[in-house]
């Protein structure tokens, strides 16, 4: 084989170039501390890295979601603590009222006592946080509890605030007036695919009546056999009728259903439904059966603390001593508040568990990302040294070989 | 005796030729494309002389040396192989540059690419969901949406510019190819003319070099006949033959709404299909590589516009009005945040109900959940996953282009070595030859002087 000087020179040059390319790559990795800085560095792992990074980023968002509501829950915890204290003091005061025959003067003092406590309970119930009412559900701009005559009206909704803590995973993060002060709520158990899906089987009668705390409202839906009747029709008709309930279409995993929330607390807001004929609208939506009995989902509106204390206050002021029922209701109501309080504890606990889970996951994913993406500096240093030796020997050999020809010896 | 002078003359001349050739070889040791030349010597024809031998009355007497040929040391087989590889090499050179540029346009993984903006956009909805009345959170949604739209637009327009630049390079390269064809055509004529007088070696070297340059641009077929006439054709279209040469032309054509250069025979409508070379690489990157990425960006943008708007319209803004379109446009080309929303964050439809819009963030929640929804590939791939696949795909393509290029480079350097083995100048070899022929020359000169002395002796005797 003939070896020419050009071949030698090219060969040496190629080796030097190759070694310096490898060195350059290693230097790049050492200075950026990243093994993978562009997709072509490792096309298979780039997908994983981007996936992990997006996961880590999400978890940060979930953690920040949790942090922002944990503060709220702490505040709610404090409010409920005060609320329980106030209820306790009503009970103590009432104990004195029922245990002794009270003279008129003392009754007046007691009445003002109860009055004061009621005021502070109202204030607590209408607590605000960051300028928003805490117990009104989605209605944050209007005081949720309002005294109307001798009843307490609930202006809020039954929507609990939820936060996202994972891919399609949410946690409840608030308490509404419903849980706290017992507001009657009913839901149908027949589901439709959309709020606007027409009810094809015509109801026998499109007239219904809703009674809330003794006030009955008759409502005619206006069934049109050509258009049918939709959940939204019914909801709109109920809401426009003046019946003291807030109706809405509720979206659940099974589909859409009819939901009604009373506008008044406790037994004052108890809802009774009636279809004018069997096979009517409420039956179609799964609230009543053909016998007119309730078959939907509801909570029993017992012991609304606010309404009970209001009634106690009114009775004491008017000298009515028969408050045995109220005392019983108050005990139930106190239990409701304590249950709600416990719920706050549970929510907080869940958040904390989720928080530590997310932190763990985040660390794991960061470690994994790092193991794919980051350089092992010690290993790289070793490689660098080897490459440096290769580079230097390429230079050395090149300089020696290229400098010699037969000319030197002639 | 006079024969001796003639022998000396021929020897001096032959050795001088050899030394000249050695000089020429050394002078061109580093000339690109130069083929080593070698003088072939042969003994001159001998003459018969009568000898005193009964059984064999004649003997042949040598008359010195003569120059038989000056050979151009070249292996045509390696040249043919080289031409094949150069086409591939040219194509991958352009494609690998294009892919590396696309990589830097996407700028992933980083905090500035589309993927980071996508994450930030979906993240921003969480804050609105938690507190729909917070105007800061609403402004942040608008700004992340705006950044996302802009980053999609910038990425797309950078890709589009690259595509345009690649397209603009096509006529430039065609011009280069045409100038090569014209020089090759001149060389063809000169070589045929020089063929008889034997002075075509350096012209042939030049032609090999230019042909290599041409096939690097366009993968062309090369054929050389026994007289040394070259024919060059691209996919059956003859560009160069003994009698004529044809040039190429890049003409704007419109294909599926996109104006781009196609290759035609000059001044005709005859299209030329090429399958290799830098021009092919440019067109391939322009038509296959970039288009796919622009297409996918457009898909992401249009799905984003459609899905986000769909959810957004179903919600209610802070005034209780139904939401409008958050994004305007139809693709990555024109995606932007709707003007009326940009000016007023309260128009973000975060609520799913018409009432209690300050407390209801369910629509914001629905948009934030869009992030993990399968909206591509019949509902199996989420937006960010789709984008990640795009980037992974880009990585595979870039790596493949780089690898092909490296392989071709390796083959070329191997072929260069093989060619150099035959055609390259070795200084050592030339030096050794030089010493050899220098001695021969010196000896011939000495011989001449001896002959002269012999003749002197003879003449002085008379």
């Amino acid at each position: 084989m003939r070896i020419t000087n050009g071949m030698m020179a090219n060969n040496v040059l190629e080796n030097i170039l190759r070694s310096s390319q490898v060195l350059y790559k290693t230097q790049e990795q050492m200075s950026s501390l990243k093994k993978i800085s562009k997709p072509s560095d490792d096309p298979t792992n780039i997908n994983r890295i981007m996936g992990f990074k997006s996961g880590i980023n999400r978890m940060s968002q979930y953690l920040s979601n949790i942090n922002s509501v944990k503060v709220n829950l702490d505040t709610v915890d404090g409010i409920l603590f005060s609320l329980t204290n106030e209820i306790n003091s009503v009970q103590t005061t009432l104990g004195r009222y029922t245990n002794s025959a009270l003279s008129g003067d003392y009754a007046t003092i007691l009445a003002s006592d109860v009055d004061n406590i009621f005021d502070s309970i109202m204030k607590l119930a209408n607590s605000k946080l960051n300028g928003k009412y805490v117990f009104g559900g989605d209605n944050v701009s209007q005081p949720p509890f309002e005294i109307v005559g001798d009843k307490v009206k609930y202006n809020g909704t039954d929507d609990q605030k939820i936060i996202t803590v994972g891919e399609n995973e949410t946690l409840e993060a608030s308490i509404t007036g419903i849980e706290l002060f017992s507001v009657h709520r009913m839901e149908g158990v027949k589901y439709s695919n959309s709020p606007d899906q027409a009810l094809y089987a015509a109801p026998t009668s499109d007239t219904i009546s809703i009674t809330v705390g003794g006030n009955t409202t008759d409502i005619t839906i206006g069934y049109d056999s050509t258009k049918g009747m939709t959940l939204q029709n019914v909801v709109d008709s109920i809401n426009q009728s003046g019946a003291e309930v807030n109706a809405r279409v509720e979206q659940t995993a099974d589909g859409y259903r009819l939901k009604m929330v009373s506008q008044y607390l406790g037994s004052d807001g108890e809802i009774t439904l009636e279809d004018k004929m069997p096979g009517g609208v409420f039956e179609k939506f799964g609230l009543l059966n053909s016998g007119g009995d309730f078959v939907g989902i509801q909570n029993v509106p017992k012991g609304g603390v606010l309404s009970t204390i209001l009634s106690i206050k009114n009775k004491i002021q008017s000298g009515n001593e028969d408050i045995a029922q109220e005392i019983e209701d108050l005990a139930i109501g106190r239990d409701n508040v304590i249950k709600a309080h416990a719920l706050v504890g549970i929510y907080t606990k869940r958040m904390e568990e989720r928080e530590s889970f997310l932190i763990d996951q985040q660390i794991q994913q960061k470690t994994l990302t790092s193991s794919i993406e980051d350089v092992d500096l010690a290993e790289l240093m070793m490689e660098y040294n080897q490459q440096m030796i290769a580079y230097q020997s390429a230079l050395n050999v090149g300089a020696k070989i290229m400098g010699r020809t037969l000319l030197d010896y002639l | 005796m006079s024969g001796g002078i003639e022998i000396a003359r021929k020897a001096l001349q032959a050795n001088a030729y050899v030394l000249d050739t050695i000089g020429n070889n050394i002078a061109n040791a580093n000339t690109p494309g130069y083929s080593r030349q070698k003088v072939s010597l042969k003994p001159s024809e001998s003459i018969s002389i009568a000898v005193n031998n009964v059984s064999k009355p004649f003997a042949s007497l040598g008359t010195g040396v003569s120059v038989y040929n000056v050979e151009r040391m070249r292996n045509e087989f390696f040249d043919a192989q080289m031409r094949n590889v150069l086409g591939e090499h040219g194509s991958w050179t352009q494609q690998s540059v294009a892919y590396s540029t696309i990589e830097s346009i996407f700028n992933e993984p980083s905090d500035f690419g589309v993927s980071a903006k996508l994450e930030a956009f979906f993240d921003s909805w969480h804050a609105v969901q938690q507190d729909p009345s917070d105007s800061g959170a609403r402004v942040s949604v608008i700004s992340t949406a705006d950044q996302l739209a802009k980053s999609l637009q910038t990425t797309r327009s950078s890709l589009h510019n690259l595509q345009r630049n690649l397209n603009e390079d096509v006529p430039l390269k065609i011009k280069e190819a045409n100038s090569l064809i014209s020089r090759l055509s001149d060389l063809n004529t000169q070589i045929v003319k020089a063929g008889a007088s034997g002075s075509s070696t350096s012209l042939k070297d030049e032609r090999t070099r230019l042909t290599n340059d041409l096939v690097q641009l366009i993968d062309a077929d090369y054929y050389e006949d026994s007289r040394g006439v070259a024919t060059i054709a691209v996919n059956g279209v003859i560009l160069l033959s003994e009698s004529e040469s044809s040039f190429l032309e890049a003409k704007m054509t419109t294909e599926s709404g996109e104006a781009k250069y196609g290759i035609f025979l000059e001044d005709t409508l005859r299209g030329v299909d090429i399958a290799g070379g830098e021009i092919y690489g440019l067109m391939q990157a322009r038509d296959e590589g970039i288009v796919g990425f622009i297409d996918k960006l457009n898909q992401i943008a249009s799905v984003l516009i459609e899905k986000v708007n769909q959810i957004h319209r179903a919600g209610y803004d802070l005034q209780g009005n139904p939401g409008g379109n958050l994004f305007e446009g139809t693709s990555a080309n024109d995606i932007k945040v709707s003007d009326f929303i940009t000016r007023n964050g309260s128009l973000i439809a975060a609520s799913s109900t018409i009432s209690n819009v300050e407390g209801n963030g369910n629509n914001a929640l629905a948009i934030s959940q869009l992030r993990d929804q399968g909206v591509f590939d019949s509902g199996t791939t989420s937006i960010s996953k789709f984008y990640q696949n795009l980037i992974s795909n880009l990585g595979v393509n870039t790596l493949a282009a780089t690898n092909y290029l490296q392989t071709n480079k390796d083959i070329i350097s191997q072929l260069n070595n093989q060619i150099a083995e035959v055609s390259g100048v070795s200084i050592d070899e030339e030096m050794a030859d030089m010493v050899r022929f220098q001695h021969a020359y010196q000896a011939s000169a000495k011989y001449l002087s001896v002959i002269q002395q012999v003749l002197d002796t003879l003449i002085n005797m008379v």
Side-chain angles (χ1 to χ4, degrees):
Chain A
M1 180 173 179
R2 286 182 72 246
I3 304 292
T4 69
N5 302 74
M7 280 161 81
M8 278 193 202
N10 281 339
N11 202 11
V12 165
L13 200 63
E14 228 163 75
N15 284 335
I16 292 174
L17 277 178
R18 203 163 288 195
S19 314
S20 55
Q21 259 170 23
V22 175
L23 268 184
Y24 174 77
K25 184 85 205 157
T26 313
Q27 274 171 352
E28 202 188 358
Q29 289 184 354
M30 285 207 300
S31 54
S32 68
L33 294 178
K34 296 263 178 279
K35 262 194 290 202
I36 301 174
S37 55
K38 25 182 217 308
S40 58
D41 286 343
D42 192 341
T44 14
N45 275 329
I46 198 79
N47 217 333
R48 293 169 66 195
I49 291 176
M50 288 181 71
F52 284 144
K53 284 205 163 160
S54 138
I56 293 166
N57 167 65
R58 269 166 220 216
M59 285 181 223
S60 303
Q61 182 60 46
Y62 299 150
L63 283 170
S64 110
N65 291 354
I66 289 175
N67 278 330
S68 67
V69 291
K70 253 172 58 185
V71 182
N72 294 8
L73 282 175
D74 284 350
T75 315
V76 171
D77 186 65
I79 296 171
L80 292 186
F81 189 73
S82 313
L83 198 58
T84 318
N85 279 345
E86 297 292 347
I87 295 169
N88 287 345
S89 50
V90 174
Q91 282 180 323
T92 318
T93 313
L94 289 183
R96 267 178 280 159
Y97 181 77
T98 47
N99 285 345
S100 51
L102 292 164
S103 64
D105 277 355
Y106 200 53
T108 323
I109 296 169
L110 253 181
S112 84
D113 228 5
V114 173
D115 199 26
N116 282 339
I117 298 172
F118 179 74
D119 281 351
S120 23
I121 291 182
M122 267 307 266
K123 276 196 191 109
L124 285 171
N126 284 333
S127 292
K128 274 182 167 182
L129 183 62
N130 296 330
K132 292 173 200 70
Y133 291 99
V134 177
F135 297 116
D138 276 353
N139 189 351
V140 291
S141 47
Q142 200 184 355
F145 303 99
E146 192 185 339
I147 300 165
V148 178
D150 57 354
K151 297 179 188 170
V152 182
K153 192 176 178 204
Y154 179 55
N155 293 323
T157 73
D158 67 333
D159 297 290
Q160 276 189 301
K161 184 160 273 310
I162 52 170
I163 56 160
T164 312
V165 293
E167 197 170 310
N168 295 325
E169 269 185 82
T170 53
L171 285 182
E172 294 93 351
S174 74
I175 299 284
T176 67
I178 307 266
E179 288 94 40
L180 206 52
F181 298 130
S182 187
V183 180
H184 198 185
R185 165 169 69 172
M186 288 177 165
E187 283 147 272
V189 289
K190 290 265 173 67
Y191 299 90
S192 72
N193 292 331
S194 93
D196 301 318
Q197 193 194 14
L199 183 72
Y200 284 107
T204 48
S205 153
D206 62 351
T207 305
I208 51 175
S209 78
I210 298 175
T211 309
V212 178
N215 294 334
T216 305
T217 315
D218 285 339
I219 305 161
T220 305
I221 307 299
Y223 181 81
D224 178 340
S225 58
T226 53
K227 287 185 198 156
M229 182 172 60
T230 65
L231 264 178
Q232 196 64 49
N233 285 153
V234 175
V235 163
D236 291 344
S237 305
I238 294 174
N239 284 341
Q240 284 155 18
S241 70
E244 289 161 332
V245 292
N246 292 321
R248 60 184 270 204
V249 179
E250 189 177 45
Q251 188 181 3
T252 69
D254 298 320
Y256 295 86
R257 64 187 183 192
L258 179 61
K259 179 174 192 175
M260 281 174 285
V261 179
S262 172
Q263 290 180 355
Y264 289 94
L265 294 193
S267 46
D268 295 334
E270 198 165 347
I271 311 170
T272 319
L273 304 177
E274 193 193 338
D275 273 331
K276 287 298 174 193
M277 281 165 85
V281 175
F282 284 138
E283 197 181 324
K284 295 287 177 201
F285 285 117
L287 281 152
L288 300 177
N289 65 11
S290 55
D293 299 322
F294 186 79
V295 293
I297 303 166
Q298 66 170 340
N299 62 340
V300 181
K302 271 217 158 161
V305 168
L306 276 182
S307 48
T308 311
I309 296 178
L310 182 66
S311 142
I312 292 169
K313 183 185 113 177
N314 291 340
K315 278 192 175 171
I316 293 176
Q317 272 170 354
S318 61
N320 186 342
E321 292 184 18
D322 179 21
I323 54 168
Q325 180 62 43
E326 275 81 1
I327 287 177
E328 202 178 297
D329 285 352
L330 191 61
I332 300 171
R334 183 174 173 272
D335 277 355
N336 277 344
V337 173
I338 289 170
K339 272 183 208 156
H341 201 165
L343 219 48
V344 172
I346 292 169
Y347 292 164
T348 313
K349 182 108 199 324
R350 279 193 206 151
M351 300 267 166
E352 277 163 359
E353 278 170 9
R354 191 70 201 177
E355 190 177 21
S356 58
F357 170 79
L358 283 171
I359 290 173
D360 274 2
Q361 283 281 305
Q362 216 178 15
I363 291 173
Q364 268 185 28
Q365 296 218 344
K366 276 182 182 164
T367 318
L368 272 171
T369 314
S370 161
S371 74
I372 300 171
E373 184 189 44
D374 293 352
V375 298
D376 179 343
L377 212 53
E379 194 187 321
L380 204 63
M381 273 317 278
M382 295 289 291
E383 275 175 26
Y384 182 76
N385 282 337
Q386 282 175 1
Q387 288 158 2
M388 200 63 196
I389 290 168
Y391 178 61
Q392 280 171 344
S393 55
L395 285 176
N396 201 353
V397 168
K400 279 189 180 145
I401 286 184
M402 288 201 297
R404 290 276 169 269
T405 65
L406 192 56
L407 268 173
D408 300 317
Y409 306 99
L410 285 175
Chain B
M1 252 326 127
S2 62
I5 293 179
E6 185 60 13
I7 287 173
R9 185 192 64 77
K10 284 202 275 192
L12 283 172
Q13 198 177 34
N15 286 319
Y17 281 150
V18 173
L19 284 172
D20 282 352
T21 307
I22 288 172
N24 187 42
N25 280 345
I26 295 170
N28 284 301
N30 294 321
T31 307
Y34 178 74
S35 307
R36 173 170 66 103
Q37 292 173 11
K38 194 174 159 192
V39 180
S40 329
L41 300 176
K42 71 164 199 180
S44 297
E45 254 170 55
S46 47
I47 49 169
S48 290
I49 51 166
V51 290
N52 189 10
N53 182 342
V54 181
S55 60
K56 205 179 170 199
F58 297 100
S60 74
L61 185 67
T63 58
V65 68
S66 63
V67 175
Y68 170 68
N69 192 8
V70 181
E71 243 184 299
R72 170 178 177 252
M73 304 301 287
R74 197 77 198 176
N75 186 329
E76 307 292 339
F77 173 70
F78 291 140
D79 283 340
Q81 276 200 320
M82 182 62 109
R83 284 191 291 272
N84 287 339
V85 179
L86 280 174
E88 281 278 291
H89 177 253
S91 164
W92 288 114
T93 310
Q94 292 295 343
Q95 292 194 53
S96 114
V97 170
Y99 276 116
S100 302
T101 316
I102 299 175
E103 246 186 358
S104 65
I105 287 173
F106 275 99
N107 193 15
E108 299 284 0
S110 78
D111 297 335
F112 313 104
V114 172
S115 88
K117 306 292 179 208
L118 262 176
E119 300 289 339
F121 171 69
F122 286 118
D123 277 350
S124 69
W125 287 96
H126 285 264
V128 177
Q129 184 244 326
Q130 280 170 47
D131 188 354
S133 62
D134 183 353
S135 60
R138 286 170 178 267
V139 170
S140 144
V141 164
I142 294 171
S143 110
T144 55
D146 185 50
Q147 284 184 37
L148 173 60
K150 284 199 174 119
S151 96
L152 281 168
Q153 272 207 27
T154 318
T155 312
R156 195 213 72 98
S157 70
S158 303
L159 287 174
H160 190 72
N161 284 344
L162 174 64
Q163 195 182 21
R164 228 172 30 211
N165 291 344
L166 290 171
N167 191 41
E168 291 302 325
D169 280 350
V170 171
L172 297 180
K173 292 281 176 190
I174 290 285
K175 219 170 154 189
E176 245 176 77
N178 281 341
S179 113
L180 286 170
I181 293 170
S182 124
R183 282 162 70 195
L184 280 167
S185 160
D186 293 346
L187 280 170
N188 230 8
T189 331
Q190 286 169 14
I191 287 169
V192 174
K193 277 189 197 152
S197 60
S199 61
S200 65
T201 41
S202 62
L203 295 173
K204 280 185 173 172
D205 280 347
E206 177 74 354
R207 186 171 66 187
T208 308
R209 201 172 62 79
L210 293 181
T211 310
N212 283 352
D213 285 353
L214 181 66
V215 293
Q216 166 108 9
L217 288 174
I218 301 180
D219 195 13
D221 300 318
Y222 179 91
Y223 171 74
E224 199 177 312
D225 70 12
S226 56
R227 290 181 303 135
V229 179
T231 308
I232 294 177
V234 173
N235 205 8
V237 180
I238 293 176
L239 298 182
L240 182 70
S241 65
E242 183 174 4
S243 49
E244 58 185 338
S245 57
S246 320
F247 296 102
L248 297 171
E249 187 182 4
K251 272 191 222 169
M252 272 294 197
T253 57
T254 307
E255 202 176 290
S256 56
E258 186 89 33
K260 55 190 182 184
Y261 284 111
I263 297 177
F264 293 87
L265 216 51
E266 196 178 46
D267 298 328
T268 70
L269 291 174
R270 180 160 182 202
V272 181
D273 282 334
I274 54 175
E278 285 188 34
I279 297 175
Y280 175 74
L282 283 173
M283 294 168 75
Q284 193 70 5
R286 179 193 71 184
D287 299 343
E288 301 292 324
I290 298 178
V291 171
F293 294 111
I294 292 183
D295 196 47
K296 285 195 169 147
L297 272 185
N298 281 339
Q299 282 185 47
I300 291 176
S302 71
V303 163
L304 206 68
I305 294 168
E306 184 202 325
K307 297 281 176 187
V308 170
N309 282 350
Q310 190 187 340
I311 302 176
H312 196 255
R313 281 198 309 267
Y316 297 91
D317 66 20
L318 215 44
Q319 276 86 47
N321 298 318
N325 282 338
L326 179 63
F327 286 117
E328 277 172 6
T330 52
S331 67
N333 188 20
D334 53 4
I335 182 173
K336 63 179 205 131
V337 178
S338 297
D339 280 337
F340 71 99
I341 288 186
T342 314
R343 289 190 296 271
N344 189 351
S346 70
L347 295 177
I348 300 259
S351 168
S352 65
T353 56
I354 195 161
S355 52
N356 305 318
V357 289
E358 284 185 21
N360 186 314
N362 289 346
N363 210 42
L365 179 71
I367 293 182
S368 78
Q369 284 170 345
L370 185 61
R371 157 154 56 186
D372 296 310
Q373 260 172 40
V375 288
F376 286 105
D377 306 336
S378 53
T380 53
T381 312
S382 69
I383 293 180
S384 50
K385 193 75 206 148
F386 184 81
Y387 181 74
Q388 284 164 23
N389 290 344
L390 180 164
I391 294 299
S392 178
N393 215 344
L394 170 61
V396 171
N397 286 344
T398 312
L399 189 63
T402 320
N403 284 345
Y404 279 126
L405 182 63
Q406 189 55 49
T407 311
N408 283 320
K409 272 186 178 161
D410 288 348
I411 297 174
I412 287 174
S413 104
Q414 205 185 346
L415 275 173
N416 269 331
N417 275 347
Q418 282 169 328
I419 290 170
E421 200 184 320
V422 178
S423 308
V425 178
S426 160
I427 304 283
D428 293 345
E429 188 185 19
E430 301 299 329
M431 284 300 109
D433 281 350
M434 188 179 79
V435 172
R436 217 149 50 97
F437 285 94
Q438 185 188 3
H439 284 162
Y441 189 89
Q442 282 168 348
S444 309
K446 186 76 193 165
Y447 171 70
L448 185 60
S449 98
V450 168
I451 295 292
Q452 189 197 1
Q453 281 171 26
V454 172
L455 279 176
D456 274 356
T457 315
L458 184 67
I459 288 165
N460 289 340
M461 275 172 64
V462 180

